[in-house]
Amino acid sequence: MTAVQTSVEQTGEEQTGATSGQDQYPAGALVVVRDEEWLVRSSMPTSDDGTRIEVTGVSEFVRDQEAVFFSGLDRIELLDPGATTLVMDDSPNYRRSRLFLEAVLRRTALPQSEHRLALADSFLMDPLPYQRRPAQLALSGANLRPRLLIADVVGLGKTLEIGLTLAELIRRGRGERILVVTPQHVLEQFQHELWTRFAIPLVRLDSVGIERIQREIPAGRNPFTSFKRVIVSIDTLKNTNQYQHHLEQIRWDAVVIDESHNLINRGSLRNQLAHTLAPRTDALILASATPHNGDARSFAELIRLLDPVAIRDPENYRAADIEHLFIRRTKISPEVREQMKGQWADRGPSRSVHCPATPAEERIFEELAAVWLPGDGGASVSAVPLFPYTLLKSFLSSPAALRATVSARIRTLEKKEDRRSAEAELAALHRLSELAAGLTEADSAKFAALVRLLREEIGVGPGSETRVVVFSERVQTLEWLAGVLPAALGFRGRAARDCVRVMHGGLSDEQQMDRVEEFGLADTPVRVLLTGDVASEGVNLHRQCHQLVHYDVPWSLIRIEQRNGRIDRYGQAHPPEFRALILTSEVDGAKDDTVVAERLLEREDQAHRSLGTAEAVTGLYRAEAEERSLIQDLLRGRTVDESLDTPRAGADGQDAGLDDFLADFFGSVDATTETAGGPGADGRDEPAPAGTPSSADRDDASPVLPRLFDSTAHFVDEALREVYPDARDRLELDRDQQSGLISFRPPAELVHRLKALPSDYLREQRLRERLLVTFNRRLAEHSLQRARQSSTSSWPEISLLTDLHPVVDWLTDKVLVGLGRQEAPVITAKVAEPVYLVQGVYSNKLGRPTVVKWMGVTWREAVQEGLAVDDMVSLLRRADVGPAMANKRGYRDPAPLSAALPRVLETAEAFLNAHRDAWDEPLRRPVEEYKLRLGAWEQPTLGGERTRERLADLADSLLTTGRPLLRVLAVLVPDTDADADRRNGDGTPPVSLSAPSSSPFRYAPPLAAL
């Protein structure tokens, strides 16, 4: 931000108050502040200082500067359309005018009434309709605001769905300020996907990023005002009190919270963070493959972050009540299964690898069976019922884990004041300690099996490119394996140090991200990733790996499924293979891995094939709850199957049978209802029948984005010629016509914009010195794949030029300032009379466009009549305004054209006012329905009443208000040559708004005005 900025930190939650029509500044509008011209990026009313607008400088002195102004503190002047100066365009083929018109089209935010997807086909992602549906639902109008829980199960591509939703919000002027909150170990992965796939840059505020920012900004300054789009760890935010204050002072356009099931526990720091952010953002996207903890009230807490009045009774509601707020599919859902044919290999079951216990291990089995877990109703030596199973699970993991558990328990008991009550247990612990003390890898049956498995079956070893991920619940097991596994696999010297990496929750966020990145790059020496369950949520491990080994098996179906989902996910090129090491024993009564682990593996596979997910099998919906319940059932003498099949009671003690909300919610995963993406036959937004493609996917759907150029590539090509005719020398521009690669040195003003890109990306690819970009999707995809093969950088050299890319953004702004302040070009075209191109924008109290119309208007002085149509783009095409048109520089006196401007603007406004009610109806009806729900919402507390008032104000603020903002863009005038018709080539007459096909709106001013 610059010196012209007024403090952003004055903004807060109460920003939905009424605003006068003169205080509306929709995205794309031009304003004058402090005698400089600015382009509005976004605006928002405040309670004290009028409207807050974020702008980018357009006039020369402030060009590309970013600033924030408040209408209560500065004079913010919307340009008067009646004062437009008409100028002649002497550029070849009227290139300057055509580029200017296209730039205005691109810079104008899509209106709130546009529900269809505008950009879905322009990004580096496969055209899979199921991945578009979350964005369609968020924008469908079913919600007053874009608020959604994306609950797709593991591996379907939630990050891509989030990226597409954010991209569409940005195109609507509703995504300038974005905050993404994720677990720390997926920060870089998420940042990488959003930039490489969608050209959405996020500044990463991990521990290193925060230190850097604190060095760059003044002490005490809010770090979130320094960057518009930020990604930060949820642990960073929740554990640092200073950020609570900073977050309370910021209002976001969109907030994304990944792994949002961690927000459920009321009173937790994560829950408090969510309640801080939810009311301070317009769009809120929650994502979780496991969004439910088995308690309907807790799930209601999550849904109420999206809409506080969506659920009237948190103990009695159904999936249908909130279907507009969540979407959930599995790999076997019909729409996913059909669209992914041949693109996602089917997984097999987890194959059990039996490992007969060694004599040393059998002695420990004997001790456990006799003393700690006796059968036939015998009493355990431990006074803590669950601890013997903790011991067992440690032993089933590794000797190192067992030693750590025994030592920790001994220390705990030795600190007790009454040592006598624990003497028997202490003695038993010391016996176990002696039995485990001398165990090495030679005494471990599972270790020997792992080495055979990796070397002989999977093929891991020196000279092999094969990779495998090995999971264990215990840090001690992971560190022990890291010490002994490389040599056993035949690695020596430096290769032994580099072939294995360990990842667990005790590492810093930077270390965790480094491990994930290193494992995902093909030319790094890492062959085995030893990881704990910190990697079981959200982490992509499938890029170079399709082999997974459970060294020990978690006693939870959910955790098994989460682990498997690290390599069984969208983008996996090979059938994923899972193996589990099953320690077996001949000791009578021994509870080896065949008792619990092997049966859980079988049940997880059955659930995956029949239901698409294992989350609903137990009715507990949380890994920790599943394990705790299973151990308690084992203590009661039940088998694993009896435990899994036992009906569960929710946290409130009520029975959670198949007919309750949870079953309803999880039973909806196979629904294939599409969101139509636009108004239904009666003007309302309603779901289309199952299987109906969205309007964004139908061949007969009208274009969402009005365009004069047939592609962004054509626009950029023409813009470079206009702005930099000497680009080859000035920018050192080089274009490979065969591959489509464009290489150039970015000028200083573009380098300034690149500061928002990931710092690692800027540094590693030296982007300040040279940019490599392309419109060739295959080339960009190849560059991305090549980056994944490199240990030098995971960032691709070549980026895809999408509509959101900073290069396209920069050129669009350069074209806009090609004309002077409030100038409009005069274009000689195939028209029968002068046609004024006028933009009309209605906005709501929040400054967001509700209706945008692109009009052609004429004024006939002789009959005192104006005509208007709202098909500017097709009118331009019919008038042959395009790259083939000739500019004969037939200049004329602009005075008569300027004299007609007042009547032209009257005609345009009359046309807009005549249709305003019809355009408003699709917006007004959902607001009225929401306010009815709001009136029936039972919230007796004082805070609840304030929330009701705030939401009612918010609903009202979404409706159109005030007069339309008008802007004269250009004037088409007829060629003065009498033979113009014949030279147009097609023999058709010039375009006339009065032609029957155009059905123009007619306007005659009142007699008093004449």
Side-chain angles (χ1 to χ4, degrees):
M1 296 292 179
T2 69
V4 298
Q5 169 184 342
T6 309
S7 175
V8 173
E9 300 174 22
Q10 296 177 21
T11 65
E13 178 180 349
E14 292 76 23
Q15 300 188 11
T16 57
T19 307
S20 71
Q22 296 303 310
D23 278 350
Q24 296 175 62
Y25 309 99
L30 290 172
V31 295
V32 176
V33 188
R34 303 183 188 183
D35 202 35
E36 297 294 340
E37 191 173 350
W38 308 83
L39 181 72
V40 176
R41 297 293 192 181
S42 65
S43 66
M44 175 64 64
T46 69
S47 57
D48 300 321
D49 298 321
T51 300
R52 170 187 180 275
I53 64 168
E54 293 192 12
V55 295
T56 298
V58 173
S59 52
E60 185 172 359
F61 182 68
V62 295
R63 189 168 300 167
D64 286 330
Q65 297 283 345
E66 296 175 352
V68 175
F69 297 110
F70 292 83
S71 63
L73 305 177
D74 270 292
R75 176 180 171 82
I76 302 176
E77 181 184 355
L78 280 163
L79 296 180
D80 176 10
T84 302
T85 301
L86 303 181
V87 297
M88 295 301 168
D89 178 1
D90 61 356
S91 65
N93 313 108
Y94 289 102
R95 182 174 65 202
R96 188 177 307 131
S97 298
R98 292 185 293 107
L99 285 168
F100 172 74
L101 290 171
E102 176 76 6
V104 173
L105 289 168
R106 287 173 173 271
R107 267 287 166 260
T108 303
L110 288 178
Q112 185 175 310
S113 55
E114 179 56 80
H115 302 308
R116 297 171 298 168
L117 301 190
L119 303 175
D121 295 324
S122 61
F123 300 118
L124 209 58
M125 60 184 295
D126 295 328
L128 297 172
Y130 89 82
Q131 290 185 343
R132 299 180 181 187
R133 281 225 287 133
Q136 289 169 344
L137 180 56
L139 300 170
S140 67
N143 304 319
L144 290 187
R145 295 180 289 174
R147 294 189 154 220
L148 183 66
L149 167 61
I150 302 177
D152 286 347
V153 300
V154 173
L156 265 63
K158 287 188 288 296
T159 304
L160 296 178
E161 294 167 355
I162 291 168
L164 181 57
T165 304
L166 291 177
E168 291 289 340
L169 290 174
I170 291 170
R171 186 59 185 85
R172 286 158 171 77
R174 304 177 73 169
E176 282 298 297
R177 298 191 62 81
I178 295 173
L179 174 67
V180 177
V181 183
T182 74
Q184 60 187 13
H185 54 279
V186 297
L187 280 175
E188 183 168 331
Q189 175 181 294
F190 208 107
Q191 181 192 37
H192 191 277
E193 287 286 282
L194 260 64
W195 169 253
T196 58
R197 299 291 186 184
F198 302 97
I200 300 176
L202 300 173
V203 174
R204 191 172 80 227
L205 296 186
D206 52 21
S207 55
V208 174
I210 288 175
E211 288 179 10
R212 176 174 57 83
I213 288 172
Q214 288 175 337
R215 291 194 301 268
E216 295 176 358
I217 65 177
R221 178 74 173 272
N222 190 332
F224 298 110
T225 64
S226 300
F227 301 97
K228 289 183 177 181
R229 295 168 184 167
V230 172
I231 183 168
V232 63
S233 159
I234 191 169
D235 296 300
T236 296
L237 291 184
K238 77 178 181 64
N239 290 331
T240 311
N241 292 333
Q242 70 185 76
Y243 294 117
Q244 180 77 14
H245 169 70
H246 289 320
L247 290 172
E248 289 172 351
Q249 307 307 312
I250 294 289
R251 183 166 183 86
W252 303 92
D253 290 316
V255 169
V256 175
I257 305 180
D258 195 21
E259 305 297 345
S260 56
H261 54 270
N262 294 317
L263 309 175
I264 285 178
N265 296 329
R266 181 183 287 272
S268 68
L269 292 175
R270 287 184 172 92
N271 184 266
Q272 293 173 22
L273 171 65
H275 280 280
T276 297
L277 293 173
R280 291 173 173 81
T281 181
D282 177 41
L284 178 61
I285 304 171
L286 306 178
S288 174
T290 56
H292 218 295
N293 68 351
D295 178 13
R297 180 179 288 274
S298 293
F299 188 72
E301 175 87 359
L302 192 64
I303 293 298
R304 282 176 167 174
L305 292 172
L306 302 171
D307 182 359
V309 302
I311 295 174
R312 294 185 60 181
D313 182 354
E315 296 180 358
N316 184 23
Y317 60 101
R318 301 189 68 81
D321 299 333
I322 56 172
E323 61 186 359
H324 59 295
L325 292 169
F326 78 86
I327 188 167
R328 180 174 172 81
R329 284 80 51 87
T330 76
K331 189 178 177 180
I332 69 168
S333 298
E335 62 174 325
V336 178
R337 186 176 60 246
E338 291 302 313
Q339 293 165 29
M340 292 303 300
K341 280 184 176 177
Q343 299 186 60
W344 188 354
D346 288 334
R347 55 166 269 189
S350 296
R351 183 167 69 82
S352 296
V353 178
H354 281 210
C355 312
T358 63
E361 290 172 326
E362 288 286 44
R363 285 192 288 274
I364 294 178
F365 269 123
E366 289 172 353
E367 181 71 11
L368 291 173
V371 178
W372 297 93
L373 292 163
D376 299 327
S380 171
V381 71
S382 177
V384 179
L386 298 182
F387 178 70
Y389 278 98
T390 301
L391 270 182
L392 174 64
K393 291 195 69 186
S394 297
F395 171 57
L396 293 174
S397 181
S398 72
L402 176 62
R403 286 192 288 267
T405 300
V406 169
S407 297
R409 180 63 175 166
I410 288 174
R411 288 194 298 271
T412 298
L413 293 179
E414 287 179 342
K415 291 178 182 178
K416 293 183 66 174
E417 293 183 7
D418 182 11
R419 288 276 302 276
R420 289 176 298 177
S421 63
E423 285 181 357
E425 185 174 354
L426 276 169
L429 286 168
H430 284 296
R431 286 197 303 273
L432 268 182
S433 180
E434 293 171 2
L435 290 172
L439 293 183
T440 67
E441 61 270 25
D443 299 303
S444 173
K446 290 173 75 170
F447 180 78
L450 176 66
V451 173
R452 287 195 303 272
L453 188 64
L454 295 181
R455 296 194 66 169
E456 298 172 14
E457 286 194 35
I458 298 177
V460 177
S464 170
E465 300 295 319
T466 303
R467 300 190 179 197
V468 64
V469 55
V470 179
F471 271 97
S472 172
E473 290 187 307
R474 306 299 171 125
V475 173
Q476 298 84 5
T477 301
L478 297 172
E479 294 178 340
W480 169 67
L481 286 173
V484 297
L485 187 58
L489 293 176
F491 291 97
R492 299 289 183 269
R494 181 173 180 177
R497 296 193 302 273
D498 295 340
C499 69
V500 170
R501 288 291 180 268
V502 176
M503 178 176 168
H504 54 72
L507 302 179
S508 69
D509 51 2
E510 279 287 314
Q511 291 172 317
Q512 292 183 37
M513 288 186 291
D514 288 345
R515 302 294 194 272
V516 173
E517 181 181 20
E518 199 174 1
F519 189 68
L521 297 174
D523 67 353
T524 60
V526 181
R527 293 296 174 263
V528 180
L529 177 65
L530 301 168
T531 181
D533 286 322
V534 66
S536 67
E537 293 185 356
V539 178
N540 292 333
L541 300 178
H542 66 294
R543 301 296 185 193
Q544 313 297 336
C545 175
H546 65 282
Q547 304 279 358
L548 184 149
V549 176
H550 299 280
Y551 194 81
D552 52 42
V553 178
W555 286 11
S556 159
L557 299 177
I558 291 173
R559 189 69 76 203
I560 294 171
E561 180 176 75
Q562 287 174 334
R563 284 184 178 185
N564 291 345
R566 295 313 99 213
I567 65 168
D568 180 24
R569 56 197 305 107
Y570 170 67
Q572 175 58 266
H574 305 281
E577 298 182 22
F578 313 114
R579 297 173 178 85
L581 302 180
I582 303 297
L583 186 62
T584 65
S585 173
E586 297 295 328
V587 172
D588 188 32
K591 291 180 171 55
D592 60 14
D593 276 323
T594 63
V595 175
V596 176
E598 192 166 38
R599 191 63 195 125
L600 288 175
L601 293 169
E602 294 170 0
R603 290 295 296 267
E604 187 273 340
D605 183 64
Q606 292 169 6
H608 176 81
R609 296 183 185 284
S610 61
L611 302 175
T613 175
E615 292 163 287
V617 171
T618 64
L620 294 170
Y621 306 98
R622 277 290 175 270
E624 298 80 6
E626 282 189 336
E627 179 173 339
R628 185 168 55 252
S629 176
L630 175 59
I631 292 175
Q632 289 171 345
D633 282 345
L634 292 173
L635 286 169
R636 298 185 186 105
R638 292 175 179 166
T639 66
V640 169
D641 287 306
E642 289 171 342
S643 176
L644 295 181
D645 295 335
T646 299
R648 301 293 169 185
D652 55 4
Q654 297 178 354
D655 180 47
L658 292 178
D659 60 344
D660 71 357
F661 167 75
L662 303 186
D664 195 12
F665 175 79
F666 284 95
S668 68
V669 296
D670 289 338
T672 56
T673 301
E674 295 274 359
T675 300
D682 62 353
R684 298 181 63 180
D685 294 292
E686 295 180 348
T692 303
S694 73
S695 60
D697 299 320
R698 293 197 299 265
D699 294 335
D700 62 343
S702 61
V704 178
L705 294 176
R707 291 280 172 85
L708 300 186
F709 287 74
D710 56 11
S711 67
T712 300
H714 187 196
F715 169 71
V716 167
D717 187 53
E718 292 266 321
L720 280 171
R721 285 193 177 93
E722 176 66 23
V723 178
Y724 290 101
D726 55 350
R728 184 173 293 278
D729 296 324
R730 188 173 172 188
L731 302 181
E732 301 174 13
L733 185 142
D734 182 56
R735 186 192 304 264
D736 188 323
Q737 297 295 341
Q738 184 173 2
S739 70
L741 177 64
I742 303 170
S743 169
F744 68 99
R745 177 179 51 79
E749 58 198 30
L750 178 54
V751 170
H752 174 73
R753 294 183 180 223
L754 297 180
K755 69 178 184 178
L757 271 58
S759 57
D760 291 349
Y761 177 49
L762 280 170
R763 183 183 65 256
E764 293 171 6
Q765 297 300 336
R766 304 175 69 178
L767 299 184
R768 297 179 182 88
E769 301 172 24
R770 180 156 291 274
L771 285 177
L772 300 178
V773 294
T774 186
F775 288 102
N776 185 332
R777 294 168 61 89
R778 294 182 65 180
L779 178 61
E781 182 68 43
H782 179 69
S783 179
L784 179 58
Q785 295 299 334
R786 190 168 62 244
R788 290 179 177 144
Q789 311 294 318
S790 169
S791 58
T792 304
S793 174
S794 64
W795 296 101
E797 289 182 291
I798 305 168
S799 60
L800 182 68
L801 285 173
T802 73
D803 283 359
L804 304 183
H805 197 284
V807 169
V808 179
D809 206 51
W810 160 69
L811 280 173
T812 302
D813 286 348
K814 293 287 288 184
V815 166
L816 279 173
V817 300
L819 295 177
R821 179 183 298 181
Q822 211 162 358
E823 290 181 346
V826 178
I827 306 169
T828 300
K830 184 183 165 183
V831 292
E833 59 189 323
V835 178
Y836 296 75
L837 307 182
V838 181
Q839 178 196 55
V841 179
Y842 279 112
S843 299
N844 58 29
K845 294 178 182 178
L846 302 179
R848 299 194 186 104
T850 54
V851 177
V852 177
K853 291 298 175 182
W854 307 93
M855 296 172 283
V857 184
T858 66
W859 173 254
R860 296 173 175 177
E861 183 67 27
V863 295
Q864 292 292 298
E865 181 185 60
L867 303 177
V869 295
D870 62 346
D871 62 346
M872 183 186 84
V873 174
S874 64
L875 185 152
L876 285 165
R877 291 199 175 103
R878 288 185 283 125
D880 287 347
V881 175
M885 71 187 304
N887 186 348
K888 295 180 290 184
R889 295 174 173 81
Y891 304 136
R892 65 177 67 203
D893 181 7
L897 297 173
S898 298
L901 275 176
R903 293 297 187 219
V904 166
L905 293 170
E906 282 181 28
T907 302
E909 185 163 4
F911 167 73
L912 294 171
N913 289 336
H915 295 87
R916 171 174 168 168
D917 286 344
W919 293 330
D920 267 357
E921 179 60 21
L923 303 176
R924 189 164 50 244
R925 189 174 297 184
V927 168
E928 292 172 351
E929 292 174 351
Y930 185 82
K931 291 180 74 173
L932 287 174
R933 289 207 315 271
L934 193 59
W937 181 47
E938 298 178 4
Q939 188 61 260
T941 66
L942 179 61
E945 190 56 40
R946 284 200 300 267
T947 299
R948 190 201 307 272
E949 293 172 0
R950 179 175 63 83
L951 292 173
D953 287 344
L954 172 64
D956 288 335
S957 71
L958 301 178
L959 296 173
T960 299
T961 185
R963 295 175 59 186
L965 298 176
L966 300 176
R967 182 179 181 186
V968 178
L969 305 177
V971 184
L972 306 182
V973 296
D975 196 321
T976 56
D977 192 322
D979 293 328
D981 285 1
R982 287 194 296 274
R983 286 207 312 277
N984 280 325
D986 58 4
T988 58
V991 173
S992 171
L993 296 195
S994 59
S997 60
S998 62
S999 302
F1001 169 82
R1002 295 180 181 273
Y1003 167 75
L1007 290 176
L1010 295 176

